[in-house]
């Protein structure tokens, strides 16, 4: 999956799923780590795609929006 962040004041304030990916399971551990950011992914059991991403820790110090690629561990 690919996420596109919005940055305000050096902090990620929201994430848009630009590619939901495929093949994830609800029990997968999904890692997104950039600049201290931590997220909680929500996966569809029916489609295996990323449905939503909740920001747990937005991280800090972003000058430009990074491209975030999601990988199941």
């Amino acid at each position: 999956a690919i996420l596109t962040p919005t940055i305000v004041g050096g902090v990620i304030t929201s994430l848009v799923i630009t590619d939901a990916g495929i093949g994830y399971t609800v029990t997968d551990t999904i890692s997104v780590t950039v600049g201290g950011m931590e997220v909680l992914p929500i996966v569809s059991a029916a489609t295996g795609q990323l449905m939503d991403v909740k920001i747990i820790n937005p991280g800090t110090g972003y000058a430009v929006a990074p491209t975030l690629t999601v990988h199941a561990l």
Side-chain angles (χ1 to χ4, degrees):
I2 298 174
L3 309 174
T4 302
T6 299
I7 296 175
V8 176
V11 175
I12 293 177
T13 57
S14 67
L15 294 167
V16 173
I17 300 170
T18 53
D19 178 344
I22 193 164
Y24 298 108
T25 67
V26 293
T27 59
D28 279 342
T29 299
I30 298 176
S31 172
V32 178
T33 307
V34 174
M37 183 183 70
E38 181 182 355
V39 299
L40 173 64
I42 309 298
V43 174
S44 167
T47 65
Q49 294 181 304
L50 203 61
M51 294 180 0
D52 195 9
V53 181
K54 304 292 183 194
I55 299 171
I56 305 300
N57 177 351
T60 60
Y62 298 99
V64 296
T67 298
L68 305 173
T69 303
V70 179
H71 299 280
L73 300 175

